[in-house]
């Protein structure tokens, strides 16, 4: 398989970036290098400049994230994403660089990998989550990526390689995309890549890697994870590499100096006292959920049945939970109920199990039960987004837009700028036949995703709908001016 070696020491899945890169490529093939890259890339300023500012880095990261968010491999499942972010923020909170913001996200990809983008965006493949045998192992990889950001390794790499980075990524992505249609075109793209990006060395230096390991180990320890997780995970990856020589985990294939790195990490671990760290129940449940969601329903049922029969699991409760989730997907509600009852008996009350309880109640067909379940669950876990999305969705399905609106607007203050809540709000207003409010909410949903042109369009539609009183119209007009300004700024940046 092709790999995007140059973008980072660990690779980003080709498909994730392909749309973003295709735009870069088109410019390149038209001979508009380097100016045309600006169509998709924000302005990085004078490329002879020796440094890249945090703001430039953030803008570059955001423009890549816009593409990732619209790709089908972006695994935007609120429970898994919330878990990963809590987990990642817990690690990042101990970093000395307190001004850096982080956003963690999941990529639906069986390859074992994690990667950092400019601007503090850190992606974790679902394959890594499933392959890890403890929470501290995942923490080891994530802490390493966080450290690349806080130690400004990406910024330094970008500053040195701005031009080469853009050119080589574009040509490689081009080859991947074009090979599906025409091998001749793919050859041309590769030839362009060789000419355009001679020897672009974009992997981190050995010093960078060692520093990310060293700082990452400190984060692990200070955040209450087992620092040994980093070493055990790398060792497991190495063993896997020996067994499957041709299908080495992508993290390792692009990671330089693996043996030395492990030895280095182990020597740092020698001075640390041994401590037993128990995985959180959320880690176990979310892993099971990811598997139950991503495998086909039947495969998932078979997997959890076998894991329970052979008693091969990290957590028995999580296997029952996984079986409940996958049974629900096969529409076997009686079984989902039975498995859920086992989980409830095994683990303390928590939002993940509670959310499944409400889903099972809803699938059971008794709307009254589901209603009661959601109301109680949201009271107990007011910040758990999956519950709010689920319940709002259910109210909309049941044609109770007033109740859905009340729920969404009540949660907006607590959950902050959340595109999905604005989308639910827009649907509730649509059902209530209030077009101005509907398009305003949709505009906010787009604005939260950085899609300002679409946001401006929504507000224009809303303002022309003939809906709204004088006050509402002037608020919408003021917002339209602001969004136009943001849209123009984004366009200007793209042209510069
Ligand atoms: Zn690294």
């Amino acid at each position: 398989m092709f790999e995007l070696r140059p973008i980072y020491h660990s690779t980003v899945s080709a498909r994730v970036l392909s749309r973003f890169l295709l735009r870069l490529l088109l410019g390149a093939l038209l001979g508009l290098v380097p100016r045309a890259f600006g169509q998709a890339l924000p302005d990085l300023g004078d490329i002879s400049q020796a440094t890249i500012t945090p703001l430039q880095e953030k803008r570059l990261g955001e423009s890549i994230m816009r593409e990732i968010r619209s790709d089908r491999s972006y695994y935007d499942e609120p429970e898994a994403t919330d878990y990963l972010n809590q987990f990642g923020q817990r690690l990042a909170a101990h970093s000395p660089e307190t001004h850096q913001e982080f956003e963690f996200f999941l990529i639906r990809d069986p390859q074992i990998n994690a990667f950092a983008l400019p601007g503090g965006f850190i992606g974790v493949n679902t394959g890594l989550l499933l392959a890890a045998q403890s929470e501290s192992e995942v923490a080891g990889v994530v802490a390493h990526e966080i450290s690349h950001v806080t130690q400004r390794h990406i910024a330094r790499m970008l500053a040195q390689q701005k031009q080469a980075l853009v050119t080589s990524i574009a040509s490689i992505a081009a080859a991947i995309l074009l090979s599906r249609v025409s091998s001749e075109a793919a050859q041309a793209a590769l030839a362009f890549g060789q000419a355009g990006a001679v020897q672009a060395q974009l992997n981190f230096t050995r010093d960078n890697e060692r520093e990310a390991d060293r700082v990452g180990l400190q984060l692990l320890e200070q955040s209450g994870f087992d620092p040994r997780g980093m070493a055990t995970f790398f060792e497991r990856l190495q063993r896997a590499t020996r067994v499957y020589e041709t299908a080495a985990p992508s993290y390792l294939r692009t990671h330089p100096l693996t043996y030395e790195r492990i030895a280095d990490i182990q020597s740092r671990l020698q001075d640390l006292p041994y401590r037993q760290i128990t995985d959180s129940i959320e880690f176990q449940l979310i892993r099971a959920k990811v598997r139950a969601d991503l495998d086909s329903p039947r495969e998932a049922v078979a997997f959890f049945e076998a894991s329970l029969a052979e008693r091969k699991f990290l957590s028995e409760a999580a296997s029952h939970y996984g079986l409940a989730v996958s049974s629900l997907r096969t529409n076997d509600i009686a079984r989902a109920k039975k498995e859920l009852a086992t989980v409830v008996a095994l683990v303390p009350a928590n939002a993940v199990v509670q959310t499944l309880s409400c889903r099972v109640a809803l699938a059971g067909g008794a709307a009254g039960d589901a209603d009661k379940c959601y109301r109680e669950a949201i009271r107990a876990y007011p910040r758990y987004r999956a519950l709010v999305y689920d319940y709002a969705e259910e109210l909309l399905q049941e044609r109770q837009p007033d109740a859905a609106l009340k729920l969404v607007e009540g949660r907006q203050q607590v959950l902050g700028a959340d595109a999905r809540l604005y989308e639910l709000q827009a649907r509730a207003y649509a059902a209530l036949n209030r077009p101005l409010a509907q398009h305003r909410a949709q505009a906010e949903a787009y604005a939260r995703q950085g899609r300002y042109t679409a946001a401006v369009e929504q507000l224009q539609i809303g303002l022309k709908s003939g809906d709204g009183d004088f006050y509402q119209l002037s608020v919408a007009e003021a917002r339209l001016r602001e969004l136009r300004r943001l849209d123009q700024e984004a366009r200007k940046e793209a042209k510069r």
Side-chain angles (χ1 to χ4, degrees), residues 285-351:
L285 295 173
I286 292 299
R287 263 176 107 246
K289 176 158 189 19
V290 168
R291 186 176 294 281
D293 275 356
L294 297 187
D295 285 356
S296 80
R298 271 173 214 296
E299 272 168 11
V301 167
F303 174 87
F304 289 112
E305 276 175 346
S307 102
L308 287 164
E310 296 158 24
R311 302 199 60 80
K312 268 204 218 152
F313 41 62
L314 295 178
S315 149
E316 182 170 3
S319 283
H320 284 289
Y321 168 85
L323 191 49
V325 174
S326 25
S327 298
L328 200 55
R329 287 187 66 208
T330 60
N331 235 357
D332 187 347
I333 293 155
R335 189 166 194 195
K337 267 188 192 160
K338 179 175 157 283
E339 294 300 326
L340 176 65
T342 310
V343 182
V344 170
L346 285 173
V347 299
N350 67 76

Side-chain angles (χ1 to χ4, degrees), residues 8-10 144-145 148 204 208-209 212-213 251 255 261:
Y8 199 71
H9 78 287
S10 28
H144 175 97
E145 300 301 329
H148 274 314
F204 285 119
N208 281 172
E209 288 303 331
D213 286 339
Y251 188 84
H255 237 83
R261 282 184 61 203

